[in-house]
Amino acid sequence: VKLKRKRNYPKSLPSLPLIGSLLHFMGDTKPHLLFYRLQQKYGSLYSLYMGSDYVVVVNSYLHAKEVLLKKGKIFAGRPRTVTTDLLTRNAKDIAFASYSPIWKYQRKLVHSALSMFGEGSLALEKIICQEATSLCETLSAAQDSSLDMSPELTRAVTNVVCSLCFNSSYQRGDPEFEAMLKYSQGIVDTVAKQSMVDLFPWLQFLPNKELALLKKCVGMRDQFLHQKFKKHKEEFSSDSVNDLMDALLRAKLNAENNNSHILSGQRLTDDYLLMTVADIFGAGVETTTTVLKWTVLYLLHYPKVQQKIQEELDQNLGFSRHPLLSDRQHLPYLEATISEVLRIRPVSPLLIPHEALEDTTIGEYDIPKGAQIVVNLWSIHHDEKEWEKHDEFNPDRFLDEDGNRIYSPSPSFLPFGAGVRVCMGEALAKMEIFLFISWILQRFTLSIPEGQTLPEPEGKFGVVLQVPKFQVKATLREAWK
Ligand code: HEM
Ligand code: PLO
């Protein structure tokens, strides 16, 4: 990035040559909280150097909407980093790839596959309900004892995306599933968190523990992907396209035959197909599971909220049938609770960094081409001007006086981002969260096992805001005994 003279650039944090503003990052404050606090001194829009990268931090919804919506295309770039390049074979995926014809085409392919097998389709509802049944059986079996719900929630969610991506699923204790859990945790722990190798790329040439772990986990993931890919290729028939992998294979065949012009000469190689499913599979598992875990954690903290959701379920469904997607519109309190979880603990507190593709502006400030833009969703969701008692968990904010749901009581709410880079899985994630939580709460009351303390609602920063480990006791409700 070249800063020109006589421009009105955002106020800059003091920085030292080479190390940039790194001194500010010392200590163990999480970046989204640090960027939130720095507003007091520098205002809601400021800049800093991370290593040698020029970064602009956006903390208000008005600026965020300008970046994501009004100038969405100008800010649709993504910076490259050592760790994400490793994960995505040099940005051949969707999330970490910059704006390009092939990126657009990948989004289009995923979009049409999701609407074919997913969103709103009865098949998908059936798959989710099947997983919910299995989840409830496990909770039943573990009745009244202490249980870590995390692996069970993960398996339920994984099986849903696994059906979508590969038309397959896992039984409890499947070694392939256990391996997947392990490598994915390793990736979440090491990728895209602006850690040292991303700030100072030359560090990758020195021995580095985190990078070694990432490489190992990406290797395991590649093995997993390769195996799925091989099987799909062998059994492929363009007359029976059953999942995202098939849909991508078909698109590649078509592109080879005719419509390659939309890719401006770039070839849709196998790597692009693989990295596209890897994104959807990875995002599909880690984000939704994270929200489910945050929801359970908050239900333990707020038993009254849990009780109110149960009353709403009892009134609308009773006990004679299980929850369906069509019940969503009749369960405003549950929907409000989910929105409040997404507000108070955004899955992706700094989104994924954007990059300015040309010289432009945000508000009255000049932004140079190549600047990285970090949208601090945490600040937007905790803006004191927009959210009364922002730190308090209160689903009622998302309801009017009559208890009807309002989509958003403040424009300062963007859990899935917005614009050209908006999340591709919003509809899918919301269906899953709604069904899993309603199934669980129709049958069980969740509480803290005796002698244990409430888990702190503090997130661990990474590519997603991770939930601490905790145990739960699931008690079968009276009507089900
Ligand atoms: C991107 C949130 C679930 C697929 C994003 C972004 C956010 C987000 C904030 C970044 C937007 C930006 O950088 O401007 C969430 C939340 C989820 C969720 C809160 C769960 C509640 C999912 C699921 C899928 C998915 C289930 C897969 C089907 C993606 C993809 C991108 C993305 C592919 C990258 C889009 C791009 O860069 O063009 N998501 N997401 N997400 N999400 Fe999600
Ligand atoms: C999660 C770990 C997986 O092993 C790989 C993976 C792929 C896509 C990533 C996802 C991880 C984390 C959440 C991300 C998603 C793409 C979009 C999503 C970053 C790293 C969000 C919330 O932006």
Side-chain angles (χ1 to χ4, degrees):
V1 174
K2 281 218 180 70
L3 298 184
K4 298 175 187 150
R5 293 206 294 167
K6 289 199 180 161
R7 296 293 152 97
N8 183 26
Y9 292 120
K11 192 181 258 180
S12 181
L13 262 65
S15 72
L16 301 167
L18 188 67
I19 62 169
S21 312
L22 193 73
L23 290 177
H24 279 270
F25 296 97
M26 307 262 267
D28 57 1
T29 316
K30 294 163 184 93
H32 57 284
L33 297 177
L34 177 68
F35 290 160
Y36 178 66
R37 281 214 315 262
L38 285 170
Q39 290 184 86
Q40 289 172 1
K41 198 157 166 206
Y42 297 94
S44 79
L45 189 79
Y46 51 79
S47 69
L48 54 95
Y49 278 92
M50 298 225 250
S52 56
D53 295 341
Y54 180 76
V55 178
V56 174
V57 183
V58 167
N59 292 284
S60 76
Y61 78 87
L62 278 171
H63 287 151
K65 288 193 172 170
E66 191 174 344
V67 169
L68 301 174
L69 290 164
K70 194 166 156 219
K71 297 181 180 147
K73 252 183 158 171
I74 299 175
F75 288 108
R78 295 282 195 211
R80 300 275 292 263
T81 71
V82 174
T83 57
T84 57
D85 271 358
L86 244 168
L87 180 70
T88 62
R89 303 193 183 165
N90 300 322
K92 295 192 178 61
D93 72 326
I94 297 176
F96 300 107
S98 211
Y99 190 81
S100 76
I102 208 160
W103 165 82
K104 260 182 154 167
Y105 188 55
Q106 284 165 287
R107 270 193 78 109
K108 199 178 118 197
L109 290 173
V110 168
H111 187 77
S112 62
L114 284 180
S115 41
M116 201 152 44
F117 318 115
E119 295 162 15
S121 89
L122 285 174
L124 186 62
E125 176 165 25
K126 224 173 120 187
I127 293 166
I128 303 175
C129 289
Q130 202 177 316
E131 293 308 320
T133 312
S134 158
L135 179 64
C136 287
E137 278 165 12
T138 314
L139 292 183
S140 257
Q143 265 256 33
D144 295 323
S145 59
S146 217
L147 171 76
D148 177 4
M149 283 176 74
S150 173
E152 292 312 320
L153 294 172
T154 311
R155 192 170 63 90
V157 172
T158 303
N159 279 344
V160 177
V161 263
C162 231
S163 299
L164 275 174
C165 292
F166 309 118
N167 195 14
S168 63
S169 67
Y170 297 112
Q171 297 291 313
R172 281 197 95 189
D174 188 320
E176 188 180 299
F177 173 70
E178 306 287 331
M180 197 280 294
L181 276 186
K182 205 172 139 221
Y183 83 63
S184 203
Q185 185 59 49
I187 294 175
V188 170
D189 283 341
T190 50
V191 87
K193 39 179 220 185
Q194 302 288 354
S195 53
M196 297 300 277
V197 266
D198 285 336
L199 298 181
F200 307 108
W202 44 267
L203 281 176
Q204 68 187 295
F205 304 111
L206 302 177
N208 179 319
K209 253 191 183 161
E210 284 218 344
L211 203 60
L213 175 63
L214 177 60
K215 282 182 180 157
K216 191 182 111 195
C217 292
V218 168
M220 285 166 76
R221 183 212 56 182
D222 286 347
Q223 237 177 354
F224 165 87
L225 281 177
H226 188 74
Q227 182 196 328
K228 299 276 182 210
F229 192 51
K230 196 165 150 245
K231 192 147 174 278
H232 276 74
K233 255 182 161 170
E234 285 163 6
E235 293 167 9
F236 181 74
S237 145
S238 53
D239 305 327
S240 109
V241 167
N242 298 313
D243 52 40
L244 177 64
M245 191 84 255
D246 280 346
L248 292 171
L249 279 169
R250 184 177 57 189
K252 184 171 177 240
L253 284 176
N254 289 345
E256 277 163 5
N257 295 333
N258 44 47
N259 62 358
S260 52
H261 59 277
I262 41 173
L263 304 180
S264 358
Q266 276 219 49
R267 266 181 6 98
L268 189 66
T269 59
D270 285 354
D271 275 0
Y272 284 99
L273 305 192
L274 284 172
M275 293 304 106
T276 305
V277 249
D279 251 24
I280 300 306
F281 187 75
V285 173
E286 293 300 333
T287 54
T288 311
T289 312
T290 301
V291 182
L292 288 172
K293 290 195 271 184
W294 278 123
T295 309
V296 171
L297 185 147
Y298 275 102
L299 292 175
L300 297 182
H301 277 259
Y302 295 83
K304 285 217 175 85
V305 172
Q306 178 172 201
Q307 198 186 338
K308 262 175 110 168
I309 297 172
Q310 287 176 328
E311 281 163 10
E312 190 179 63
L313 283 164
D314 296 353
Q315 273 161 25
N316 282 279
L317 281 78
F319 301 95
S320 54
R321 67 169 181 87
H322 64 70
L324 293 165
L325 280 179
S326 53
D327 293 315
R328 253 176 92 175
Q329 60 198 104
H330 307 296
L331 299 166
Y333 194 76
L334 173 55
E335 289 277 283
T337 306
I338 296 169
S339 292
E340 179 65 348
V341 172
L342 290 170
R343 180 193 71 83
I344 201 162
R345 288 297 176 267
V347 173
S348 185
L350 300 179
L351 307 188
I352 301 172
H354 288 241
E355 188 178 295
L357 297 170
E358 46 189 83
D359 283 341
T360 182
T361 56
I362 302 177
E364 61 192 287
Y365 297 101
D366 291 314
I367 305 295
K369 175 178 174 178
Q372 283 186 35
I373 316 294
V374 167
V375 174
N376 191 351
L377 200 56
W378 183 276
S379 298
I380 293 170
H381 286 185
H382 290 265
D383 186 335
E384 287 160 27
K385 293 189 289 299
E386 294 294 325
W387 301 102
E388 210 177 295
K389 300 194 183 146
H390 66 91
D391 237 357
E392 211 166 83
F393 180 78
N394 175 16
D396 285 323
R397 324 171 178 273
F398 287 89
L399 298 171
D400 66 15
E401 296 96 67
D402 302 324
N404 300 312
R405 191 178 133 71
I406 13 180
Y407 173 69
S408 181
S410 156
S412 199
F413 181 60
L414 296 168
F416 297 91
V420 283
R421 283 282 179 176
V422 70
C423 174
M424 301 208 66
E426 173 168 358
L428 172 64
K430 283 180 166 166
M431 286 167 64
E432 294 186 63
I433 298 162
F434 169 81
L435 283 172
F436 286 132
I437 297 296
S438 59
W439 272 70
I440 296 172
L441 293 186
Q442 189 190 30
R443 284 169 179 69
F444 301 95
T445 299
L446 306 177
S447 59
I448 292 288
E450 277 91 39
Q452 297 199 22
T453 47
L454 279 169
E456 288 298 327
E458 225 189 286
K460 183 171 151 216
F461 181 80
V463 67
V464 294
L465 189 65
Q466 301 169 72
V467 191
K469 251 190 169 15
F470 60 93
Q471 304 275 317
V472 182
K473 186 175 88 172
T475 312
L476 202 60
R477 297 180 62 205
E478 218 37 63
W480 295 89
K481 282 187 177 154

